[in-house]
Amino acid sequence: MQPLPEDGERDWAEPGVYTVSPGVHRIPLPLPHDALRAVNVYVVTDGTRLVLIDSGWALESARERLSRGLKALGADLGDIDEFLITHVHRDHYTLAVELRREFGGKVGLGKLEEPSLVRSGDPDRFPMEAQVGLLERCGAAPVVEVLAKAFGDVRHTEAHLWEQPDEWLGPGKRAIVPGREFDIVHTPGHTAGHVVFVDDEAGLVFSGDHVLPHITPSIGFQPVPADLPLSDYLDSLRLVREMPDRRMLPAHGRVTDSVHARVDELLEHHRDRLEVMGAEITAEVTTAYEVALRLGWTRKSRKLPEMDPFNRMLAVLETGSHLDLLVAQGKLTATEADGVRHYAS
């Protein structure tokens, strides 16, 4: 395997090592049985020190793919000096923990991810425990039922992969390799402690799941929910939009030339969804679940019952986050009865 130039012609998830810019290489790692298909990890090196932006999921297939990619760059897994993680989801964090145990290397994670990391490491936690509570507030008992059938009542099986990082990352400049520093920017929304890494000199932004080129990131999917995750997300998008435009290196999807262009599309998407969802609230349609049933989802405009249980959950929770923001903006009102939130215009 030899490093290839990042030319945009290949399928972004095709195995390989792709040179994004001098000293920066992209290695897509597999996500079996996941619609996202792969997660990009980025190798930053000066030839002596080697840092990874995100690490992949702790799967043997991902580890093998990463090992082959590093060998193409003349390195091994044991040569990784540091992992800088954009957020705490398992496809970004857990392989770093596994490799640290075996080879050493430091792990850095955004400080505001700490509550969710601690909860993720609780072996008594049920999968998606927090999301079940949110679904019940959304009036989505049928989605809770299909989730229970799909995932059962087994306890959390990956608790051992959620060890504490060596460093809690805060905003500001930080040395990466000799002669190169990144600006760490806090971008909550997708998760409460999500960060992006900005390389001013090279004109790059490692955008994690904050800005993705082809899909809209899920909002607030984490073990410890935020109060208004969509508000946080939109503020974070505007923050990136106010910064100079840069080449976007996302965690899923191809590298693109303008982060601003995609941010504009995402802001417009959420403006449209806020308007559409707010308009669905009537005397007969009062819950997030009822609104979600009336909308189309994904680019194919699929109806909620046509989706798999996991994505039904995400769709309902996204609806709830939009309606809650409309309440915060004074465009809707909300009351609760028997644990279910009802909206009115």
Side-chain angles (χ1 to χ4, degrees):
M1 181 189 296
Q2 294 295 320
L4 299 168
E6 187 77 65
D7 60 14
E9 296 297 321
R10 302 176 188 83
D11 180 354
W12 74 270
E14 182 179 337
V17 181
Y18 303 92
T19 299
V20 178
S21 73
V24 181
H25 311 276
R26 180 178 69 87
I27 304 177
L29 302 183
L31 296 177
H33 315 299
D34 192 309
L36 291 174
R37 301 171 55 215
V39 57
N40 293 321
V41 303
Y42 295 92
V43 180
V44 182
T45 182
D46 67 339
T48 60
R49 180 172 165 81
L50 192 149
V51 175
L52 256 61
I53 306 299
D54 287 332
S55 71
W57 187 359
L59 301 168
E60 189 60 31
S61 58
R63 178 191 173 112
E64 291 175 358
R65 187 83 55 81
L66 179 60
S67 178
R68 291 199 299 272
L70 291 177
K71 287 184 185 301
L73 299 172
D76 295 304
L77 294 173
D79 294 322
I80 302 171
D81 294 287
E82 189 170 34
F83 303 87
L84 297 178
I85 310 299
T86 58
H87 63 293
V88 78
H89 285 163
R90 65 184 184 180
D91 55 325
H92 298 256
Y93 190 73
T94 58
L95 187 54
V97 171
E98 186 176 86
L99 294 176
R100 179 179 64 178
R101 289 177 186 161
E102 187 170 346
F103 300 106
K106 306 288 188 181
V107 177
L109 180 68
K111 173 63 178 173
L112 294 184
E113 294 290 62
E114 186 171 7
S116 284
L117 181 69
V118 170
R119 193 75 185 105
S120 295
D122 181 355
D124 292 326
R125 180 175 70 91
F126 288 104
M128 291 175 287
E129 191 174 74
Q131 282 64 49
V132 168
L134 293 174
L135 286 170
E136 290 171 344
R137 194 182 76 158
C138 289
V143 179
V144 173
E145 291 174 9
V146 297
L147 276 178
K149 291 178 182 177
F151 296 99
D153 59 357
V154 296
R155 298 286 182 176
H156 188 39
T157 58
E158 294 183 335
H160 64 289
L161 293 173
W162 303 99
E163 294 175 356
Q164 297 276 305
D166 299 281
E167 178 185 359
W168 292 111
L169 302 174
K173 298 287 187 181
R174 188 186 187 286
I176 304 299
V177 299
R180 190 169 208 154
E181 66 177 14
F182 289 173
D183 192 11
I184 301 171
V185 181
H186 179 219
T187 52
H190 179 63
T191 66
H194 192 291
V195 297
V196 303
F197 301 101
V198 176
D199 184 338
D200 277 319
E201 187 171 339
L204 307 174
V205 55
F206 299 83
S207 63
D209 282 6
H210 178 54
V211 186
L212 299 174
H214 304 303
I215 63 173
T216 57
S218 62
I219 304 301
F221 179 62
Q222 55 198 1
V224 179
D227 291 335
L228 285 173
L230 181 59
S231 178
D232 295 338
Y233 182 64
L234 295 177
D235 286 345
S236 296
L237 286 177
R238 296 184 189 105
L239 175 64
V240 171
R241 188 60 175 84
E242 291 167 0
M243 297 161 54
D245 199 8
R246 297 179 174 92
R247 199 173 182 203
M248 182 176 81
L249 281 57
H252 309 281
R254 66 177 68 257
V255 173
T256 60
D257 288 335
S258 171
V259 69
H260 279 185
R262 183 55 179 157
V263 166
D264 288 342
E265 292 173 351
L266 289 168
L267 288 170
E268 181 64 25
H269 166 80
H270 286 290
R271 278 193 293 268
D272 289 346
R273 292 303 261 185
L274 284 164
E275 183 175 346
V276 168
M277 290 179 182
E280 291 289 345
I281 295 297
T282 65
E284 292 75 32
V285 178
T286 65
T287 70
Y289 177 61
E290 290 167 338
V291 171
L293 284 170
R294 285 158 174 75
L295 302 178
W297 297 94
T298 76
R299 293 182 177 184
K300 297 180 180 179
S301 197
R302 299 168 66 195
K303 290 299 184 180
L304 194 70
E306 299 171 352
M307 302 167 72
D308 65 81
F310 183 78
N311 281 294
R312 272 187 243 183
M313 173 195 69
L314 292 180
V316 172
L317 296 184
E318 181 171 325
T319 304
S321 70
H322 282 75
L323 296 175
D324 286 344
L325 180 55
L326 289 171
V327 172
Q329 293 173 342
K331 298 175 181 177
L332 294 177
T333 60
T335 57
E336 292 203 11
D338 298 324
V340 176
R341 193 165 215 210
H342 296 270
Y343 302 89
S345 57

